[in-house]
Amino acid sequence: MNIVIFLGSAGSGKGTQSQYLKKEWGYRHISTGDLLREEMARGSSLGETIRLKVDQGDLVSDDIIIQMIDQTIQSLVATNAKGVIFDGFPRTMDQAVSLQSLLEPMGRSLTKVFYFDLALEESLRRLSGRRIDPRDGQIYHEAFNPPPPEVRPHLTQRSDDFPEKISHRYDIFLKETMPLLDYYGKALVPLDCSSPIDQITSTILSELGVSSANA
Ligand code: AMP
């Protein structure tokens, strides 16, 4: 089973590539951002603690993240998925070390770490236009993928998708997450995220050795 990490700043296309691998190749998609939003939607006190950080564009504490991901990783023992993608996790060195120590006893190791490389200007352009239909999770973009008129009244914008929050998230990415590039060394595959989506997908599939013969 391939175990991969998608590491990159917000808006770099990690979610899009994850959805493709999930739909077409049966990969399991584990996004800490989604897990955190689910907890916030439950309205628990933990969810409220998380919201204070997410709304500011700050990182949620390593303790909360590691506890949350621990349960999910344990469920991988029984999975028959062809692969697993960690999307947006790890984001700090402590999280990376914890992931290692959770996988080791299971006899699992990372296959590849994909680094989705994107400049701040492009991140701002992509995220500030992002709109979500909460009824089905469909994601639109005001300029690149405009919503149909009848959907427009339902659309929401993520609280952390406003320009000053996007810049703050980018700064945090540079400070907390960029050091992981060295940590992963040879396992790291850089992806130029200004390239067309299909081209990025092809690189990922070829790095994973995924083809209809061995998927
Ligand atoms: P995402 O959906 O991956 O863009 O994550 C949205 C927000 O959730 C981030 O800006 C952080 O506030 C929080 N978050 C997601 N994943 C992590 C993580 N691995 N560590 C800390 N905070 C996280």
Side-chain angles (χ1 to χ4, degrees):
M1 180 173 72
N2 282 330
I3 302 184
V4 300
I5 291 177
F6 281 180
L7 199 148
S9 60
S12 57
K14 304 186 298 292
T16 303
Q17 298 295 338
S18 297
Q19 287 308 324
Y20 172 82
L21 281 175
K22 181 177 173 179
K23 189 158 167 267
E24 300 296 328
W25 299 100
Y27 273 51
R28 179 137 171 230
H29 177 214
I30 299 174
S31 151
T32 39
D34 286 349
L35 292 172
L36 293 168
R37 281 183 286 277
E38 279 164 25
E39 191 62 44
M40 288 189 276
R42 274 195 276 275
S44 63
S45 67
L46 175 61
E48 289 315 306
T49 307
I50 290 168
R51 189 184 306 282
L52 292 175
K53 294 292 185 187
V54 172
D55 280 356
Q56 292 309 314
D58 287 326
L59 290 185
V60 173
S61 77
D62 286 338
D63 287 352
I64 292 178
I65 297 290
I66 290 161
Q67 205 174 344
M68 197 171 255
I69 207 84
D70 185 2
Q71 295 158 6
T72 312
I73 289 175
Q74 299 311 326
S75 73
L76 294 180
V77 176
T79 190
N80 54 9
K82 293 176 178 135
V84 176
I85 308 152
F86 288 106
D87 167 6
F89 171 85
R91 265 172 153 104
T92 66
M93 197 58 88
D94 279 355
Q95 291 180 20
V97 171
S98 297
L99 175 61
Q100 195 61 30
S101 60
L102 287 168
L103 290 176
E104 254 165 32
M106 297 166 69
R108 305 277 195 197
S109 60
L110 290 170
T111 312
K112 296 268 170 177
V113 178
F114 292 95
Y115 167 44
F116 288 65
D117 188 8
L118 191 74
L120 171 62
E121 295 68 37
E122 185 60 18
S123 181
L124 278 164
R125 212 159 65 95
R126 292 184 184 185
L127 293 184
S128 52
R130 181 160 73 175
R131 300 291 180 271
I132 299 159
D133 184 344
R135 296 172 304 171
D136 58 4
Q138 183 69 42
I139 296 174
Y140 299 94
H141 189 282
E142 289 291 5
F144 314 134
N145 178 23
E150 67 278 12
V151 166
R152 199 168 271 286
H154 301 284
L155 296 182
T156 58
Q157 184 169 10
R158 269 173 54 168
S159 59
D160 54 354
D161 273 353
F162 290 87
E164 67 284 8
K165 300 284 169 59
I166 299 167
S167 300
H168 181 59
R169 286 157 73 196
Y170 198 87
D171 285 344
I172 289 184
F173 173 77
L174 295 180
K175 183 165 166 258
E176 302 284 351
T177 312
M178 282 297 264
L180 299 188
L181 303 192
D182 276 346
Y183 176 78
Y184 285 121
K186 286 202 185 101
L188 197 84
V189 181
L191 301 167
D192 173 3
C193 294
S194 58
S195 315
I197 291 176
D198 289 357
Q199 206 170 305
I200 297 170
T201 307
S202 307
T203 307
I204 294 173
L205 293 181
S206 111
E207 287 287 341
L208 292 178
V210 173
S211 71
S212 35
N214 63 4

